[in-house]
Amino acid sequence: MKKIEWLIAALLIAAGLICLTVSATTIWGTESIVSYFKTFVQLCLWTGLPFLIIGIVYFILLLKRKDK
């Protein structure tokens, strides 16, 4: 992929996380900037956790495959 395509994909992901954060903060009824950032960090961690786990498993399998 070209750099512009990566940029567009990253911007779409960021826009999705921002929209999700705004809706979650509004539903919980605490519309302050502190609760917004707290919710944003929680969503980013929960979104990144599966990628981290899959990445770790992938590298473990890759290392085992190299040993054979």
Side-chain angles (χ1 to χ4, degrees):
M1 285 177 35
K2 297 178 183 177
K3 289 183 182 180
I4 190 73
E5 292 171 345
W6 281 106
L7 178 66
I8 292 170
L11 288 174
L12 288 173
I13 291 170
L17 282 174
I18 289 170
C19 290
L20 186 63
T21 304
V22 168
S23 66
T25 305
T26 306
I27 286 174
W28 289 332
T30 54
E31 292 91 5
S32 69
I33 194 72
V34 174
S35 65
Y36 176 81
F37 282 120
K38 182 179 175 184
T39 306
F40 184 73
V41 169
Q42 288 175 347
L43 286 172
C44 287
L45 289 175
W46 281 109
T47 304
L49 189 63
F51 291 114
L52 180 67
I53 292 171
I54 290 170
I56 291 172
V57 169
Y58 174 74
F59 282 119
I60 289 173
L61 292 174
L62 191 65
L63 289 174
K64 285 185 178 183
R65 189 176 285 177
K66 279 187 176 181
D67 289 340
K68 290 183 180 182

